[in-house]
Each structure stands twice: as C-alpha cells, then as structure tokens.
Amino acid sequence: MAKSTSHSQTLEQLNALLAERIVILDGAMGTMIQNHKLQEEDYRGERFKDWHCDVKGNNDLLVLSQPELIKAIHVKYLLGGADIIETNTFNATTIAMADYDMQALSAEINREGARIARQAADEVAAQTGNPRYVAGVLGPTNRTCSISPDVNDPGFRNISFDQLVEAYVESTSALIEGGADIIMVETIFDTLNAKAALFAIETVFDQIGERLPVMISGTITDASGRTLTGQTTEAFYNSLRHIKPLSIGLNCALESKELRPYVEELSRIAECYVSAHPNAGLPNEFGGYDETPEEMAEVIIQWAEEGMLNIVGGCCGSTPTHISAIREAVLRHAPRTLPEIPVACRLSGLEPLTIDQNSLFVNVGERANVTGSAKFLRLIKEEKFEEALDVVREQVENGAQIIDVNMDEGMLDGAASMTKFLNLIASEPDISRVPIMIDSSKWDVIEAGLKCVQGKSIVNSISMKEGEEAFIKQATLVKRYGAAAIVMAFDEQGQADTRARKTDICTRAYRLLVDVVGFAPEDIIFDPNIFAIATGIDEHDNYAVDFIESIKDIKATLPHAMISGGVSNVSFSFRGNNPVREAIHAVFLYHAIQAGMDMGIVNAGQLAIYDDIDKELKDKVENVVLNLPCPVADSSNTEQLLDIAEQYRGDGTQVAKKEDLAWRSWPLMSACLMRWLKALPNLSTKTPKLRVLKPPAHLM
Ligand code: THG
C-alpha cells in the first residue's frame, strides 16, 4: 500500500510532532526474532529451501522468508507506542549480505523491509488515528573504511569509499521505493562508512528529485567516549552535520547509564534534534540483556527531565514492553528545545576544531608537501612512510592544528600516494586527532583524499580557473563529501594579483557558492594568493599589501567567509636564509592577522614572534612587506634588506654586526631548524646584491 502523503508533507508533520513532544522510536528487532527460536528451515522458507549455504542468523532475509512474522513485530512496537519504526534491514547492504552470498538480494530485501514496515505503520495509524513513520535503516556493514583489518599493514583497507557508496545507493533507493519516510544511518562505528552512506543518500535524493529526513545515530564503543574509529562525540557530529540531519543521536554498545554524558554532549552542540536508543543493559554471560523496562525507563526519564531528548527508543535487548515503559516515563516531559548554535567553521579529525571570530590564528602544517619539502619528497619516493609520518607528527607536536598534505609531483601517482598516506595517517591517533587539508591542483587527487578521511577536512583548493561550471560541480561534490574548501582567487583570466581582482573574484565565487551550490558560508576559506615579494621586480613590491587589503574587503562584505594563504610563499626570494624568511613571515602575519587572516599554511614550530625580531631587521622587513617609501635615496627596500640579510643567515661563518644575534633567541630556533641549517651546503658569502628569483609556479 503506497502512502498518499508526499515526503515534504511527512517532514512537516514530523517536525510538528517533534516540536510538541518527545517522539518514540521502536526497540530491538533481534531480541524479538530470537524469541521465536527460528531454525535453519524457518530462515529459508519455501523460496530459499535449496540455498547453497546456511542462512540461519540472516535476520534481514526474514522480510522475504517470514514477512508476517516481521510485520507482527512491527505491529507490537507500534501498539506499544512507537511513533517511528525501523525497517529490518540493518544487514541488508550488498556488503553485509555477501556473508550469505545473497548480495543480489540486497535491493529486494531493502524494498520489502520498507514495504512491510509501511503496511504495519499505515494499518496501526488507521486504527489509532495518529500517524506513524517508517525509518529505512542503513547499517554500518561488516567492514570498516578507516581501519585496516591487517595489523601489519595499517594502510590496507578491505572496503573502499566507492564500494560503500555503491552499496548504500542501492539500499537507499530500495528503501524509498518500499515506502520509507526517513532514512536512518545507525550504529555507526566508523564515521567514514557513515560519510559514504550520506554521500549515497544525497546521490539518491538528487536522482529522485526529492529529499527525505535523515536520522543519524552513532555508537560509542567504550567508556572513554569514543567511536570505534577514535572520534569524540563532537568530532563525530562535525563529520556528519553537512547533510543537515533531522536528528543526531547515539545507540547500542553502552548501557543507558554510561551513554548519558555523550547524549548530553550532543544535546548541547547539535542544532538538529537529538535521539538516543540505548541497549537494555549490557549483554550477560548468555548474550541476553537483563535491564527491565522499569530500570531502563528510570535512567531515560532523567534525560527527559533535563531536556536532553527529542527522540528515544531502544536498541539490543529492548522489547515492546520496554518501549511502552519509556514512552510512559518521558511523555510527561517537554522535548529538548533546539539551541541557537553560533555560526562557525566546525572541522574535525579525531577531535573537533572550531574556528570562529574569537579563534586565534590557526596554524596549518605545510611540511607534508612533496613540492614544499625536499625531505618529504624523498621519503615518499623511497616509500619511507614511517619517517614521512614522523614529519607530520612533528608538525602536530609543534602546534599545527591542521595538516596540509600535498602529493603533486610529476614522478608520483598523486591519487594513489594521497590515498596511501591518508590511510596511514588514519592509524596514527596522535596525528589524526587534527583535521586534514587535502592539497592538490588536481581534482582527482582531491577526491581520492576525500574518500579517506573520517573527519571534516578542508579541500585545498577549488577555483574558477576552468570557469563557473567546473567550479560549481566541484563545490557541489565538496559539500557532498562534507568538507570545507579553500577557494583560490583564480578565474578564467588567471591568478588575481591586485586588491581589486582578489576581492572581485572572491565575491563572485562566494555568490556562486552560497546562492547556487548552497555551500555553508562558514565552510568557505578564501586564499587571495600570497606571492613572493622582494624579488627585484617592481610589480611584485605591492603583493603583500594587496593581499592584506583584500582580506579587509572580503571580511567586510562576505559574511562568515575565512581567509587563508601559503605564508612561506611570501619569502621565496630569501630561500636559503631561514632567519630572514622567518622574520618576513612574522611581519607579514602580524599585519595580515590584524586585517583578519584566520589561518595560514606555515612551517609550524618555526614561527617567529614579531616583538622578538631584531629591531633593524624588523624595520627593513616591514618596509618591504608594507611597500613603504624607501628611506634611503637611490635605493629600494629590497636592496636595503639584502644589505643586512647576510648577517642574519646564521650559518656560523658570518660576522654579525651586533653581538646579540636576535634570531638565535627566537623560539622558532628549534632543533629541527638547527639540523636543517647544518645540512645546508656551504653557501657563498658573496651573495649578489639583487637576486631576481621567481618562485616556482607550483608553490604560488
Ligand atoms: N595556497 C594554498 N595552498 C598552498 C599554497 C598557497 N599549498 C602549497 C604552498 N602554497 C604552501 N606550502 C608551502 C610549503 C613549503 C614551502 C612553501 C609553501 C617552502 N618550502 C621550502 C622552500 O621551498 O624553500 C622547502 C625547503 C625544503 O625543506 O626542502 O618554502 O599559497 N591554498
């Protein structure tokens, strides 16, 4: 029986119900099926009596072989007071069905599972006069996209993002065909699997030209409060918010008592409704669950009293009696009111990273870049991944809050290298606690990267260099993968170099992103291009000023958009002289941050402090960065800086003008820089006065 109401009407009804009271979800299917003590032949039924392998335990198959039994369980939950029932399709993806060699039945099981639930819901709705809803369930599958099944090979995966998407597209379409009102992604162990499910759901919504409400429910697997793949509750939410779910919640694993702090956390941070469906206690020695309906209701009533809940039901071990008791207990309490959550860029690795107006400058570590670090390139080429990971770890230890990863080098297979390295990073919790910035000028490399990260990452970068159509297409995908994006000030004419061009291009990109793509403005990070200054070419003299001035324009006119840039670019003309480069970075950042720069790709741990820079050096650098009139007749700021640059080089052979070598006391003079300096070949002390250096194109 097909429903007569449209999906948008259903959503309206559901929203009205959620505004009015706590909504009741059903309980466990497995426990109810177990009570029937079904045998192999019961699972097979008539249709599968000759199936070539055992199917006992394939509970989802029962929608085909024992449809009446499954429908009767749904009816019990509905009569017990469930407003929403979940389809019996937890393991019905092609991936999980492969255990029984039944992958070809996946679509049919999902469709029938939804149809049976729909019939039950509509019949009870007609009897009782209040509407009931069907949540089409997508389970986690039996494979994890973020974890290697082989302890000796942490970069290995036995399932890919694309395979998951394909399976979830099939399940989702079938659930909707069968009559589901809601799509529910539940018991999420691995957020990357869930991101694939959301990607698939969006793909199907696109195909059918309609959207259904989406419920998301994760699983905290231990008392430390993390998912199986190591995310905290907030990091988990940040990874999945992009689909604008109807609700976010937690289910399974912990008993209700232990689940509480995490439901409370979601209740505090989520702008959508919050759900919980805990187990009826922990499994006993026989695998059963002992918490009585009264015991379970007693814990849950406290959550309701404190206004934490919008949707509540039960997971393993719960029965219609549990659901009735919970309903009885919570209905006296008002539902949680949706909080006003301030707009902010909310990223995550294993842990959340929120960037808002009050945030300090965010450091993005630049060293995991094959074009930006000779050492990193060598390590990747030689497949010395342990050492390459050490480079990244060192960045995080030195204060990088995000890690930029770039594999754009002619000799490398960019997509394969990106995949390999991000998979390796995923198994290093001390690195993967921070969000990843996927850096490539090639879209296929970016997309390969997006398929490896469970957190909310940043794409670096997209732009209008190939026109609006390609830009819109890429931005739509970035949104679907749930990432923020760096948008370069780059259009069909090329990279913007003046303040006016920078501001104009960013404004045009912003309007397309926000108005056409529906991109969240707080997920837009503009990079108005940091180019090298003091190169000896007059046209380059105002580059830093143009960048800084454009920040002010963008911040004043494009709400919530942020600003980033590759800071080390600005000092390319002083390559080989790190102390001077660091001074240029410090002065540049001092002014750019004041203008509103939110984050930058930097050599974390080697950032000098503006106030600590030797006065003479600082003045000359300031003249260069701000393109001030040169105080010396017949000279230039660049020449003036070059004049003193050598005495700051710091290779030990130069005679410093002053005994106190300011840079030596800089906090940035870390062991790693000292090593780097020692490794330098003996550079000639006779540096030509004016070096005209062009920064390599790939770094600009
Ligand atoms: N904007 C955006 N992304 C970017 C850039 C940008 N990504 C790449 C680059 N520019 C930012 N990253 C770096 C990394 C390293 C250096 C500069 C920018 C660098 N490296 C030393 C050098 O080349 O002298 C490396 C020396 C070595 O150790 O081998 O300066 O602008 N969105």
Side-chain angles (χ1 to χ4, degrees):
M1 181 173 120
K3 276 217 329 169
S4 53
T5 33
S6 74
H7 291 301
S8 59
Q9 280 173 306
T10 306
L11 178 58
E12 229 169 88
Q13 281 179 6
L14 247 177
N15 271 322
L17 188 65
L18 281 158
E20 180 194 318
R21 66 167 167 86
I22 295 174
V23 169
I24 308 300
L25 194 64
D26 63 2
M29 186 52 88
T31 326
M32 299 295 286
I33 293 172
Q34 255 171 38
N35 290 343
H36 290 269
K37 307 228 168 357
L38 300 179
Q39 299 308 309
E40 178 66 29
E41 65 268 24
D42 304 314
Y43 275 91
R44 287 174 180 254
E46 186 49 32
R47 178 168 164 194
F48 301 102
K49 66 177 194 298
D50 298 325
W51 196 256
H52 55 272
C53 60
D54 283 355
V55 295
K56 188 176 169 191
N58 184 351
N59 282 354
D60 297 19
L61 180 64
L62 297 172
V63 303
L64 302 183
S65 57
Q66 303 287 344
E68 288 307 316
L69 184 148
I70 298 300
K71 184 175 167 190
I73 296 172
H74 285 317
V75 168
K76 281 191 183 138
Y77 275 117
L78 289 159
L79 294 176
D83 301 298
I84 303 174
I85 54 170
E86 296 163 73
T87 57
N88 183 38
T89 55
F90 187 77
N91 281 311
T93 52
T94 49
I95 294 162
M97 275 294 148
D99 280 0
Y100 301 95
D101 206 12
M102 287 186 158
Q103 50 277 35
L105 293 168
S106 167
E108 189 184 354
I109 293 174
N110 280 290
R111 199 179 315 107
E112 283 306 297
R115 208 178 56 79
I116 291 167
R118 173 86 275 142
Q119 277 181 0
D122 288 349
E123 283 170 25
V124 174
Q127 276 168 36
T128 58
N130 39 45
R132 308 298 176 112
Y133 304 92
V134 173
V137 166
L138 298 176
T141 82
N142 48 3
R143 289 168 189 239
T144 56
C145 203
S146 292
I147 307 179
S148 171
D150 177 357
V151 281
N152 297 315
D153 188 359
F156 176 69
R157 297 293 182 271
N158 65 4
I159 190 82
S160 70
F161 190 90
D162 287 338
Q163 287 170 315
L164 283 164
V165 170
E166 194 186 340
Y168 281 129
V169 162
E170 187 167 341
S171 293
T172 306
S173 305
L175 287 167
I176 297 174
E177 277 165 31
D181 300 301
I182 300 166
I183 300 296
M184 180 166 178
V185 185
E186 70 154 319
T187 321
I188 299 164
F189 297 113
D190 183 336
T191 312
L192 188 52
N193 286 41
K195 283 173 80 174
L198 300 193
F199 190 96
I201 291 169
E202 286 284 7
T203 306
V204 173
F205 288 173
D206 238 24
Q207 284 165 3
I208 64 171
E210 259 194 303
R211 301 184 65 83
L212 275 66
V214 177
M215 294 175 67
I216 299 173
S217 182
T219 296
I220 302 285
T221 44
D222 63 63
S224 78
R226 301 219 179 207
T227 61
L228 184 74
T229 47
Q231 277 192 313
T232 65
T233 310
E234 185 172 348
F236 165 79
Y237 179 54
N238 288 358
S239 294
L240 302 173
R241 268 175 78 219
H242 57 278
I243 201 157
K244 298 202 166 75
L246 178 76
S247 66
I248 183 91
L250 296 168
N251 72 286
C252 208
L254 302 183
E255 59 182 328
S256 36
K257 275 199 289 293
E258 294 168 42
L259 202 58
R260 185 207 151 95
Y262 313 112
V263 177
E264 196 173 9
E265 167 112 344
L266 280 179
S267 152
R268 188 173 55 76
I269 62 176
E271 54 264 89
C272 62
Y273 294 112
V274 164
S275 74
H277 53 300
N279 291 343
L282 289 173
N284 61 27
E285 60 204 288
F286 311 108
Y289 294 82
D290 299 327
E291 214 168 74
T292 64
E294 293 70 31
E295 286 164 346
M296 203 173 162
E298 203 174 302
V299 178
I300 287 175
I301 195 170
Q302 294 166 16
W303 305 358
E305 268 169 15
E306 288 171 43
M308 281 158 46
L309 285 181
N310 298 107
I311 303 172
V312 67
C315 200
C316 305
S318 61
T319 66
T321 324
H322 287 84
I323 297 305
S324 294
I326 291 170
R327 182 183 168 102
E328 182 76 12
V330 301
L331 279 200
R332 280 173 272 139
H333 298 282
R336 162 180 172 269
T337 45
L338 297 184
E340 278 293 326
I341 306 285
V343 177
C345 180
R346 296 171 193 280
L347 307 170
S348 61
L350 298 182
E351 287 158 25
L353 175 67
T354 304
I355 310 171
D356 59 21
Q357 286 103 319
N358 304 322
S359 303
L360 298 176
F361 182 76
V362 174
N363 292 290
V364 182
E366 69 176 19
R367 306 312 287 179
N369 182 338
V370 291
T371 56
S373 160
K375 177 180 171 189
F376 190 74
L377 174 63
R378 177 178 57 78
L379 295 175
I380 295 297
K381 271 193 177 157
E382 292 173 6
E383 304 197 351
K384 293 192 171 143
F385 294 115
E386 278 304 316
E387 285 174 64
L389 286 168
D390 289 341
V391 169
V392 190
R393 188 176 294 106
E394 196 172 349
Q395 294 268 286
V396 177
E397 281 165 5
N398 285 337
Q401 293 147 287
I402 298 174
I403 285 296
D404 183 85
V405 178
N406 181 310
M407 295 290 177
D408 283 353
E409 210 272 342
M411 301 295 286
L412 292 173
D413 175 341
S417 305
M418 185 62 86
T419 303
K420 171 87 184 175
F421 199 63
L422 292 186
N423 282 346
L424 287 171
I425 284 182
S427 55
E428 302 286 330
D430 47 349
I431 300 173
S432 58
R433 68 184 177 81
V434 305
I436 305 290
M437 181 177 275
I438 304 163
D439 187 350
S440 178
S441 57
K442 300 184 195 78
W443 174 253
D444 68 307
V445 177
I446 287 181
E447 211 170 356
L450 284 165
K451 291 172 184 176
C452 302
V453 288
Q454 68 167 332
K456 174 155 183 177
S457 61
I458 302 175
V459 160
N460 180 13
S461 57
I462 57 172
S463 78
M464 298 185 297
K465 69 179 171 206
E466 284 150 18
E468 290 191 357
E469 200 183 319
F471 177 62
I472 289 170
K473 203 170 143 204
Q474 291 176 356
T476 305
L477 279 167
V478 173
K479 183 177 162 225
R480 188 166 291 181
Y481 282 106
I486 298 224
V487 179
M488 300 300 301
F490 200 156
D491 69 3
E492 300 87 336
Q493 267 72 58
Q495 286 169 287
D497 50 2
T498 61
R499 171 183 183 172
R501 283 252 307 147
K502 290 173 197 287
T503 305
D504 288 352
I505 295 176
C506 292
T507 305
R508 182 175 153 220
Y510 183 92
R511 294 271 56 104
L512 286 174
L513 288 170
V514 175
D515 303 339
V516 179
V517 178
F519 209 88
E522 66 274 21
D523 284 345
I524 303 172
I525 305 159
F526 284 116
D527 182 334
N529 302 319
I530 300 180
F531 295 139
I533 54 172
T535 60
I537 298 174
D538 293 348
E539 294 89 88
H540 299 176
D541 287 350
N542 209 49
Y543 276 167
V545 176
D546 280 301
F547 180 87
I548 291 167
E549 293 299 320
S550 76
I551 298 177
K552 296 179 192 162
D553 297 340
I554 292 167
K555 289 299 235 182
T557 55
L558 308 176
H560 306 300
M562 288 175 293
I563 305 284
S564 178
V567 176
S568 301
N569 305 352
V570 76
S571 63
F572 268 129
S573 60
F574 286 90
R575 279 177 129 177
N577 188 339
N578 269 14
V580 170
R581 286 190 74 174
E582 297 306 331
I584 297 175
H585 301 162
V587 169
F588 175 81
L589 281 177
Y590 178 82
H591 295 284
I593 291 170
Q594 266 177 25
M597 188 174 182
D598 301 276
M599 61 171 88
I601 307 172
V602 297
N603 193 348
Q606 281 197 30
L607 282 182
I609 294 168
Y610 180 79
D611 287 333
D612 293 349
I613 304 171
D614 181 69
K615 172 98 172 72
E616 186 186 19
L617 179 61
K618 182 155 72 179
D619 287 348
K620 302 223 165 187
V621 167
E622 200 122 52
N623 288 344
V624 166
V625 168
L626 298 180
N627 194 19
L628 300 172
C630 180
V632 180
D634 295 327
S635 182
S636 72
N637 288 326
T638 302
E639 278 179 355
Q640 291 297 308
L641 181 56
L642 278 168
D643 271 349
I644 63 158
E646 279 313 301
Q647 73 202 36
Y648 292 94
R649 182 185 289 280
D651 62 4
T653 64
Q654 309 301 312
V655 183
K657 198 156 75 185
K658 291 180 196 148
E659 270 314 297
D660 109 86
L661 289 171
W663 59 267
R664 285 204 170 146
S665 62
W666 294 351
L668 63 90
M669 292 307 295
S670 58
C672 80
L673 177 61
M674 292 312 291
R675 274 203 305 279
W676 189 82
L677 287 170
K678 280 193 199 125
L680 277 180
N682 279 331
L683 292 165
S684 158
T685 52
K686 295 255 181 302
T687 315
K689 236 191 164 187
L690 206 63
R691 296 170 304 162
V692 179
L693 281 179
K694 225 174 147 246
H698 60 260
L699 282 169
M700 295 183 39

